[in-house]
Amino acid sequence: MQVICSRTDLNNAISMVQRAIANRSTMPILEGILFSAQDNLTLTGYDMETGIEARVPAEIREGGEVVFKSKIFGDIVRKLPEENVFIQIDDKYKATIKSGQANFEIFAQAGDEYPKLPDVEEKQKLNLPQELLKEMIDQTIFATSNDESRPILNGIKVRSEAGKLELVAIDGFRLAVRSAEIEDNDDILDFIVPSKAMAEVARALEPGENIAIFPSHNHILFETDKFRLVSRLIEGDFLDYQRIIPPSCSSQIKVVPQEMLSAIERAALLINVEQRRFPVSLKTLSSKELEISAKTDLGSVEETIAVDLEGDTIDIDFNPKYFLDALSVIDEEKVNLEFSGPSAPCLIKPQEGEGFLYMVLPLRR
Protein backbone atom coordinates (compact mmCIF):
# COMPACT_ATOMS: atom_id res chain seq x y z
CA MET A 1 0.00 0.00 0.00
CA GLN A 2 1.17 3.52 -0.81
CA VAL A 3 -0.80 6.66 0.02
CA ILE A 4 -0.05 10.40 0.00
CA CYS A 5 -2.42 12.75 1.83
CA SER A 6 -2.69 15.90 3.93
CA ARG A 7 -1.71 15.75 7.59
CA THR A 8 -4.63 18.05 8.48
CA ASP A 9 -7.20 15.93 6.65
CA LEU A 10 -5.78 12.71 8.08
CA ASN A 11 -5.65 14.09 11.61
CA ASN A 12 -9.26 15.28 11.40
CA ALA A 13 -10.37 11.85 10.20
CA ILE A 14 -8.45 10.09 12.98
CA SER A 15 -10.01 12.36 15.61
CA MET A 16 -13.47 11.60 14.24
CA VAL A 17 -13.21 7.81 14.09
CA GLN A 18 -11.41 7.52 17.43
CA ARG A 19 -14.66 8.50 19.13
CA ALA A 20 -16.17 5.20 18.00
CA ILE A 21 -13.26 3.04 19.15
CA ALA A 22 -13.65 0.80 22.19
CA ASN A 23 -11.01 1.44 24.86
CA ARG A 24 -11.33 -2.08 26.17
CA SER A 25 -12.87 -4.72 23.97
CA THR A 26 -13.09 -8.49 23.91
CA MET A 27 -11.98 -8.06 20.27
CA PRO A 28 -8.55 -6.35 20.45
CA ILE A 29 -8.71 -5.44 16.77
CA LEU A 30 -11.54 -3.01 17.59
CA GLU A 31 -9.03 -0.95 19.58
CA GLY A 32 -7.47 0.01 16.25
CA ILE A 33 -8.34 2.11 13.21
CA LEU A 34 -9.11 0.39 9.93
CA PHE A 35 -7.05 2.14 7.24
CA SER A 36 -8.47 1.28 3.84
CA ALA A 37 -7.11 2.53 0.50
CA GLN A 38 -9.32 1.32 -2.32
CA ASP A 39 -11.08 3.75 -4.66
CA ASN A 40 -10.55 6.33 -1.92
CA LEU A 41 -8.92 6.51 1.51
CA THR A 42 -11.28 5.65 4.36
CA LEU A 43 -10.65 5.39 8.10
CA THR A 44 -13.04 3.41 10.31
CA GLY A 45 -13.66 3.13 14.04
CA TYR A 46 -16.24 0.67 15.37
CA ASP A 47 -17.24 -0.54 18.85
CA MET A 48 -20.00 -2.90 17.66
CA GLU A 49 -22.63 -0.30 18.60
CA THR A 50 -21.52 2.77 16.67
CA GLY A 51 -19.31 2.84 13.61
CA ILE A 52 -17.78 5.90 11.96
CA GLU A 53 -16.15 6.03 8.53
CA ALA A 54 -14.25 9.19 7.57
CA ARG A 55 -13.15 9.86 4.01
CA VAL A 56 -9.77 11.46 3.38
CA PRO A 57 -8.73 13.10 0.06
CA ALA A 58 -5.62 11.21 -1.00
CA GLU A 59 -3.41 10.05 -3.86
CA ILE A 60 -3.59 6.27 -3.76
CA ARG A 61 -0.60 4.77 -5.50
CA GLU A 62 -1.25 1.24 -4.30
CA GLY A 63 -4.37 -0.02 -2.54
CA GLY A 64 -4.66 -2.14 0.57
CA GLU A 65 -6.24 -2.45 4.00
CA VAL A 66 -4.59 -2.58 7.43
CA VAL A 67 -5.38 -1.80 11.06
CA PHE A 68 -3.27 0.69 13.02
CA LYS A 69 -3.09 0.96 16.80
CA SER A 70 -5.36 3.93 17.38
CA LYS A 71 -3.36 5.89 19.94
CA ILE A 72 0.13 5.57 18.46
CA PHE A 73 -1.09 6.23 14.94
CA GLY A 74 -3.04 9.29 16.06
CA ASP A 75 -0.15 10.62 18.14
CA ILE A 76 2.30 10.24 15.25
CA VAL A 77 0.11 11.98 12.69
CA ARG A 78 -0.67 14.81 15.11
CA LYS A 79 3.06 15.51 15.62
CA LEU A 80 4.24 15.26 12.01
CA PRO A 81 6.31 18.31 10.98
CA GLU A 82 4.90 19.04 7.50
CA GLU A 83 1.56 18.95 5.71
CA ASN A 84 2.34 16.20 3.20
CA VAL A 85 2.23 12.65 4.58
CA PHE A 86 3.51 9.56 2.79
CA ILE A 87 2.37 6.16 4.11
CA GLN A 88 3.61 2.83 2.83
CA ILE A 89 2.91 -0.68 4.14
CA ASP A 90 4.95 -3.66 3.01
CA ASP A 91 3.87 -7.30 2.75
CA LYS A 92 4.87 -7.93 6.38
CA TYR A 93 2.65 -5.07 7.58
CA LYS A 94 5.53 -2.78 8.47
CA ALA A 95 4.30 0.77 7.93
CA THR A 96 6.56 3.66 6.98
CA ILE A 97 5.16 7.12 7.72
CA LYS A 98 7.10 10.06 6.32
CA SER A 99 6.61 13.81 6.60
CA GLY A 100 9.44 16.24 5.99
CA GLN A 101 12.52 14.92 7.80
CA ALA A 102 10.47 12.67 10.11
CA ASN A 103 10.42 8.97 9.28
CA PHE A 104 8.43 6.56 11.48
CA GLU A 105 8.28 2.79 11.18
CA ILE A 106 5.50 0.99 13.07
CA PHE A 107 3.72 -2.31 12.65
CA ALA A 108 0.12 -2.64 11.55
CA GLN A 109 -1.97 -5.78 11.19
CA ALA A 110 -4.11 -7.25 8.44
CA GLY A 111 -7.47 -5.60 7.99
CA ASP A 112 -9.41 -8.66 6.87
CA GLU A 113 -10.45 -9.56 10.44
CA TYR A 114 -11.85 -6.11 11.19
CA PRO A 115 -15.66 -6.40 11.48
CA LYS A 116 -17.64 -4.81 8.69
CA LEU A 117 -20.12 -2.09 9.56
CA PRO A 118 -23.74 -3.27 9.30
CA ASP A 119 -25.43 -2.83 5.95
CA VAL A 120 -28.35 -0.41 6.24
CA GLU A 121 -31.17 -0.59 3.73
CA GLU A 122 -31.70 2.72 2.01
CA LYS A 123 -35.42 2.33 1.34
CA GLN A 124 -36.40 5.23 3.58
CA LYS A 125 -34.51 8.50 3.50
CA LEU A 126 -34.51 11.80 5.29
CA ASN A 127 -32.53 14.64 3.74
CA LEU A 128 -31.92 17.95 5.53
CA PRO A 129 -29.31 20.67 6.05
CA GLN A 130 -26.46 19.68 8.33
CA GLU A 131 -26.64 22.92 10.32
CA LEU A 132 -30.34 22.35 11.04
CA LEU A 133 -29.77 18.83 12.36
CA LYS A 134 -26.83 19.98 14.49
CA GLU A 135 -28.92 22.77 15.99
CA MET A 136 -31.81 20.41 16.75
CA ILE A 137 -29.54 17.82 18.38
CA ASP A 138 -27.78 20.46 20.50
CA GLN A 139 -31.15 21.78 21.66
CA THR A 140 -32.42 18.38 22.87
CA ILE A 141 -29.58 16.01 23.72
CA PHE A 142 -28.98 17.45 27.19
CA ALA A 143 -32.37 16.07 28.27
CA THR A 144 -31.54 12.43 27.49
CA SER A 145 -31.17 10.05 30.43
CA ASN A 146 -28.05 8.18 31.56
CA ASP A 147 -30.11 5.67 33.56
CA GLU A 148 -29.31 2.28 32.02
CA SER A 149 -32.33 0.73 33.73
CA ARG A 150 -34.53 2.79 31.37
CA PRO A 151 -32.72 2.38 28.03
CA ILE A 152 -35.61 3.83 26.04
CA LEU A 153 -34.73 7.24 27.53
CA ASN A 154 -31.03 6.95 26.63
CA GLY A 155 -31.70 8.31 23.15
CA ILE A 156 -33.45 10.97 21.11
CA LYS A 157 -36.75 10.17 19.47
CA VAL A 158 -36.87 11.33 15.85
CA ARG A 159 -40.16 11.63 13.99
CA SER A 160 -40.76 12.96 10.49
CA GLU A 161 -44.17 13.31 8.89
CA ALA A 162 -45.77 15.64 6.35
CA GLY A 163 -42.85 18.05 6.15
CA LYS A 164 -42.30 18.32 9.91
CA LEU A 165 -39.27 16.97 11.78
CA GLU A 166 -39.37 16.57 15.55
CA LEU A 167 -36.64 15.56 18.02
CA VAL A 168 -37.63 14.64 21.58
CA ALA A 169 -35.59 13.83 24.69
CA ILE A 170 -36.78 13.14 28.23
CA ASP A 171 -35.02 11.94 31.38
CA GLY A 172 -37.85 11.82 33.91
CA PHE A 173 -37.17 15.31 35.29
CA ARG A 174 -37.33 17.42 32.15
CA LEU A 175 -38.46 17.25 28.55
CA ALA A 176 -36.99 18.84 25.41
CA VAL A 177 -38.85 19.02 22.10
CA ARG A 178 -37.49 20.71 18.97
CA SER A 179 -39.52 20.95 15.77
CA ALA A 180 -38.72 22.25 12.29
CA GLU A 181 -40.31 22.41 8.86
CA ILE A 182 -38.41 20.41 6.26
CA GLU A 183 -38.95 19.36 2.68
CA ASP A 184 -42.00 17.15 2.40
CA ASN A 185 -41.28 13.48 2.90
CA ASP A 186 -43.60 10.71 1.78
CA ASP A 187 -42.47 8.30 4.49
CA ILE A 188 -43.53 8.51 8.12
CA LEU A 189 -40.30 7.97 10.05
CA ASP A 190 -40.24 7.22 13.77
CA PHE A 191 -37.14 5.88 15.56
CA ILE A 192 -34.91 6.36 18.62
CA VAL A 193 -31.18 7.04 18.20
CA PRO A 194 -28.76 6.54 21.13
CA SER A 195 -27.55 9.84 22.52
CA LYS A 196 -23.91 8.79 22.02
CA ALA A 197 -24.46 8.38 18.28
CA MET A 198 -26.37 11.65 18.06
CA ALA A 199 -23.57 13.48 19.87
CA GLU A 200 -21.02 12.15 17.39
CA VAL A 201 -23.20 13.12 14.44
CA ALA A 202 -23.60 16.66 15.79
CA ARG A 203 -19.86 16.95 16.37
CA ALA A 204 -19.08 15.94 12.77
CA LEU A 205 -21.67 18.11 11.01
CA GLU A 206 -20.62 21.16 8.99
CA PRO A 207 -22.69 24.03 7.55
CA GLY A 208 -23.44 24.35 3.86
CA GLU A 209 -24.26 20.79 2.87
CA ASN A 210 -27.08 18.31 3.45
CA ILE A 211 -26.99 15.06 5.36
CA ALA A 212 -28.84 11.91 4.32
CA ILE A 213 -30.39 9.74 7.03
CA PHE A 214 -31.40 6.14 6.35
CA PRO A 215 -33.27 4.35 9.16
CA SER A 216 -33.85 0.61 8.96
CA HIS A 217 -35.28 -1.96 11.35
CA ASN A 218 -32.29 -2.21 13.71
CA HIS A 219 -29.76 0.36 12.51
CA ILE A 220 -29.50 3.87 11.15
CA LEU A 221 -27.04 5.43 8.72
CA PHE A 222 -26.04 9.10 8.67
CA GLU A 223 -24.10 10.03 5.53
CA THR A 224 -22.39 13.10 4.08
CA ASP A 225 -19.62 13.54 1.54
CA LYS A 226 -17.05 13.33 4.35
CA PHE A 227 -18.31 10.68 6.75
CA ARG A 228 -20.69 7.79 7.37
CA LEU A 229 -21.97 6.91 10.83
CA VAL A 230 -23.87 3.70 11.52
CA SER A 231 -25.55 3.05 14.86
CA ARG A 232 -27.90 0.58 16.42
CA LEU A 233 -31.35 1.96 17.11
CA ILE A 234 -32.98 1.74 20.53
CA GLU A 235 -35.91 -0.66 20.36
CA GLY A 236 -39.14 -0.10 22.25
CA ASP A 237 -41.95 2.40 22.65
CA PHE A 238 -41.00 5.93 23.64
CA LEU A 239 -42.96 7.64 26.40
CA ASP A 240 -46.19 9.34 25.37
CA TYR A 241 -44.76 12.74 26.25
CA GLN A 242 -47.77 14.66 24.94
CA ARG A 243 -49.82 13.17 27.76
CA ILE A 244 -47.63 14.73 30.48
CA ILE A 245 -47.61 18.27 29.08
CA PRO A 246 -50.13 20.46 30.93
CA PRO A 247 -52.82 21.57 28.44
CA SER A 248 -53.31 24.97 30.10
CA CYS A 249 -51.68 27.24 32.63
CA SER A 250 -52.66 29.52 35.49
CA SER A 251 -49.60 31.80 35.14
CA GLN A 252 -47.59 33.02 32.19
CA ILE A 253 -44.37 35.01 32.40
CA LYS A 254 -42.73 36.74 29.47
CA VAL A 255 -38.98 36.98 30.05
CA VAL A 256 -35.72 37.69 28.21
CA PRO A 257 -34.05 34.24 28.30
CA GLN A 258 -30.49 35.61 28.38
CA GLU A 259 -31.28 37.76 31.43
CA MET A 260 -32.83 34.82 33.25
CA LEU A 261 -29.94 32.57 32.25
CA SER A 262 -27.36 35.02 33.62
CA ALA A 263 -29.25 35.46 36.89
CA ILE A 264 -29.57 31.70 37.45
CA GLU A 265 -25.87 31.25 36.60
CA ARG A 266 -25.01 33.72 39.32
CA ALA A 267 -27.31 32.01 41.80
CA ALA A 268 -25.81 28.63 40.90
CA LEU A 269 -22.38 29.84 42.01
CA LEU A 270 -23.51 28.92 45.53
CA ILE A 271 -25.08 25.60 44.48
CA ASN A 272 -23.60 22.23 43.61
CA VAL A 273 -25.86 21.72 40.60
CA GLU A 274 -24.79 18.09 40.14
CA GLN A 275 -25.76 17.03 43.66
CA ARG A 276 -29.09 18.89 43.46
CA ARG A 277 -28.96 19.51 47.21
CA PHE A 278 -30.13 23.10 46.92
CA PRO A 279 -32.69 24.64 44.56
CA VAL A 280 -33.01 27.98 42.89
CA SER A 281 -36.25 29.74 43.79
CA LEU A 282 -38.43 31.68 41.35
CA LYS A 283 -40.86 34.13 42.95
CA THR A 284 -42.89 36.93 41.38
CA LEU A 285 -42.74 40.07 43.51
CA SER A 286 -45.17 41.91 41.21
CA SER A 287 -46.50 41.65 37.68
CA LYS A 288 -43.20 43.17 36.49
CA GLU A 289 -40.61 41.57 38.78
CA LEU A 290 -39.29 38.03 39.16
CA GLU A 291 -36.97 37.27 42.06
CA ILE A 292 -34.35 34.56 41.50
CA SER A 293 -32.73 33.42 44.73
CA ALA A 294 -30.72 30.65 46.35
CA LYS A 295 -29.74 29.88 49.94
CA THR A 296 -27.08 27.27 50.69
CA ASP A 297 -24.41 26.39 53.24
CA LEU A 298 -22.12 28.88 51.48
CA GLY A 299 -24.47 31.83 51.69
CA SER A 300 -27.40 33.36 49.85
CA VAL A 301 -28.16 35.42 46.76
CA GLU A 302 -31.18 37.33 45.51
CA GLU A 303 -31.64 39.04 42.15
CA THR A 304 -34.62 40.62 40.43
CA ILE A 305 -35.22 40.65 36.68
CA ALA A 306 -37.93 42.35 34.63
CA VAL A 307 -40.83 40.19 33.42
CA ASP A 308 -44.46 40.47 32.34
CA LEU A 309 -46.76 38.29 34.46
CA GLU A 310 -50.25 37.26 33.48
CA GLY A 311 -52.29 35.24 35.96
CA ASP A 312 -51.41 33.93 39.42
CA THR A 313 -48.21 34.77 41.26
CA ILE A 314 -45.61 32.02 41.54
CA ASP A 315 -43.20 30.84 44.22
CA ILE A 316 -41.52 27.59 43.12
CA ASP A 317 -38.18 25.83 43.51
CA PHE A 318 -36.26 24.19 40.66
CA ASN A 319 -32.99 22.43 39.99
CA PRO A 320 -30.95 25.25 38.40
CA LYS A 321 -29.14 22.90 36.01
CA TYR A 322 -32.37 22.07 34.18
CA PHE A 323 -33.12 25.73 33.52
CA LEU A 324 -29.52 26.48 32.56
CA ASP A 325 -29.44 23.65 30.01
CA ALA A 326 -32.63 24.83 28.34
CA LEU A 327 -32.06 28.59 28.43
CA SER A 328 -28.50 28.29 27.09
CA VAL A 329 -29.70 26.82 23.75
CA ILE A 330 -32.57 29.26 23.15
CA ASP A 331 -31.95 31.96 20.56
CA GLU A 332 -35.01 34.15 21.08
CA GLU A 333 -35.45 37.71 22.30
CA LYS A 334 -38.24 36.67 24.66
CA VAL A 335 -39.87 33.41 25.74
CA ASN A 336 -42.96 32.43 27.67
CA LEU A 337 -42.77 30.54 30.96
CA GLU A 338 -46.03 28.78 31.83
CA PHE A 339 -46.98 27.45 35.27
CA SER A 340 -50.01 25.47 36.43
CA GLY A 341 -49.52 25.61 40.18
CA PRO A 342 -46.77 25.11 42.80
CA SER A 343 -46.36 21.37 42.12
CA ALA A 344 -46.79 21.40 38.33
CA PRO A 345 -43.97 21.62 35.79
CA CYS A 346 -42.79 24.81 34.11
CA LEU A 347 -43.07 25.01 30.33
CA ILE A 348 -40.68 27.16 28.32
CA LYS A 349 -42.09 28.09 24.90
CA PRO A 350 -41.39 30.55 22.10
CA GLN A 351 -43.72 33.54 21.91
CA GLU A 352 -44.61 32.59 18.35
CA GLY A 353 -44.79 29.21 16.66
CA GLU A 354 -43.98 25.77 18.04
CA GLY A 355 -40.26 25.52 17.30
CA PHE A 356 -39.37 24.24 20.76
CA LEU A 357 -40.81 23.25 24.11
CA TYR A 358 -38.93 22.60 27.34
CA MET A 359 -40.57 21.23 30.46
CA VAL A 360 -38.93 21.26 33.89
CA LEU A 361 -40.33 19.57 37.00
CA PRO A 362 -40.23 21.58 40.25
CA LEU A 363 -38.55 20.45 43.48
CA ARG A 364 -40.65 19.78 46.56
CA ARG A 365 -40.11 22.04 49.52
Side-chain angles (χ1 to χ4, degrees):
M1 179 194 297
Q2 286 188 9
V3 172
I4 298 176
C5 62
S6 157
R7 178 193 59 191
T8 299
D9 291 338
L10 184 57
N11 185 55
N12 290 340
I14 292 171
S15 298
M16 183 183 299
V17 302
Q18 279 180 331
R19 293 193 287 268
I21 291 175
N23 292 325
R24 295 179 181 178
S25 174
T26 56
M27 299 175 62
I29 198 168
L30 292 180
E31 298 176 17
I33 294 173
L34 179 64
F35 190 90
S36 178
Q38 306 296 341
D39 296 333
N40 50 50
L41 178 58
T42 303
L43 275 61
T44 303
Y46 187 31
D47 64 3
M48 302 305 289
E49 293 290 332
T50 304
I52 302 176
E53 289 184 354
R55 301 183 182 97
V56 181
E59 177 188 343
I60 300 174
R61 294 182 175 179
E62 184 180 346
E65 194 170 70
V66 298
V67 176
F68 285 111
K69 293 287 187 181
S70 172
K71 186 177 187 308
I72 187 64
F73 184 53
D75 288 346
I76 288 173
V77 172
R78 194 160 39 248
K79 296 294 185 179
L80 291 176
E82 294 188 7
E83 186 64 19
N84 284 340
V85 180
F86 172 82
I87 300 175
Q88 177 177 293
I89 295 94
D90 65 19
D91 56 3
K92 294 183 179 180
Y93 300 105
K94 183 175 73 174
T96 301
I97 305 172
K98 296 181 179 180
S99 176
Q101 297 302 309
N103 186 359
F104 286 88
E105 289 185 351
I106 62 174
F107 283 96
Q109 63 186 109
D112 52 7
E113 294 183 5
Y114 197 92
K116 301 299 182 184
L117 269 58
D119 290 327
V120 178
E121 294 182 346
E122 299 183 4
K123 292 182 178 179
Q124 294 182 310
K125 179 180 180 181
L126 186 62
N127 194 62
L128 66 152
Q130 292 189 42
E131 58 265 40
L132 174 61
L133 180 59
K134 175 176 174 57
E135 179 181 280
M136 296 181 74
I137 294 173
D138 290 344
Q139 292 175 336
T140 52
I141 195 169
F142 59 82
T144 55
S145 173
N146 295 320
D147 185 356
E148 295 183 359
S149 67
R150 305 179 73 186
I152 202 70
L153 302 183
N154 296 163
I156 295 178
K157 174 185 172 69
V158 181
R159 181 175 175 81
S160 173
E161 182 179 6
K164 181 180 180 181
L165 177 66
E166 184 176 78
L167 271 61
V168 185
I170 185 171
D171 67 1
F173 301 97
R174 43 129 170 231
L175 165 72
V177 182
R178 176 68 165 86
S179 303
E181 300 296 325
I182 61 173
E183 292 183 7
D184 199 0
N185 184 60
D186 294 335
D187 298 319
I188 297 176
L189 304 178
D190 197 333
F191 48 87
I192 306 169
V193 185
S195 59
K196 176 189 173 182
M198 281 299 224
E200 299 307 335
V201 169
R203 193 175 282 118
L205 293 174
E206 298 177 348
E209 301 291 338
N210 278 14
I211 182 169
I213 304 173
F214 303 96
S216 65
H217 180 64
N218 295 316
H219 292 85
I220 187 166
L221 167 65
F222 297 86
E223 185 170 25
T224 72
D225 291 338
K226 294 185 178 180
F227 77 92
R228 297 172 77 245
L229 185 146
V230 177
S231 171
R232 288 184 182 272
L233 292 174
I234 297 177
E235 299 181 13
D237 296 325
F238 202 74
L239 293 182
D240 183 6
Y241 66 93
Q242 295 284 2
R243 184 176 54 84
I244 63 176
I245 299 174
S248 60
C249 66
S250 57
S251 308
Q252 183 184 82
I253 295 175
K254 294 180 175 62
V255 63
V256 177
Q258 187 58 49
E259 291 181 1
M260 187 174 184
L261 172 67
S262 298
I264 295 178
E265 284 178 333
R266 285 186 283 271
L269 294 174
L270 302 181
I271 300 173
N272 186 328
V273 295
E274 298 300 332
Q275 292 183 357
R276 296 182 292 180
R277 287 185 56 203
F278 299 102
V280 62
S281 298
L282 306 182
K283 181 179 180 180
T284 50
L285 303 179
S286 69
S287 62
K288 297 294 183 181
E289 293 179 303
L290 175 68
E291 181 185 75
I292 298 172
S293 63
K295 186 175 182 180
T296 75
D297 296 340
L298 297 175
S300 62
V301 58
E302 295 177 353
E303 183 172 347
T304 302
I305 62 173
V307 298
D308 290 311
L309 168 66
E310 295 180 7
D312 300 338
T313 58
I314 64 164
D315 187 2
I316 312 179
D317 293 344
F318 290 95
N319 180 340
K321 175 175 171 54
Y322 298 158
F323 265 100
L324 293 175
D325 286 343
L327 292 171
S328 65
V329 297
I330 294 175
D331 185 20
E332 300 276 338
E333 291 186 4
K334 281 192 175 182
V335 294
N336 292 337
L337 273 58
E338 297 182 357
F339 302 86
S340 305
S343 60
C346 169
L347 301 183
I348 307 174
K349 297 180 177 180
Q351 289 197 303
E352 296 182 5
E354 299 178 347
F356 62 84
L357 181 146
Y358 298 107
M359 186 175 77
V360 181
L361 295 181
L363 296 175
R364 294 183 179 180
R365 289 184 171 175

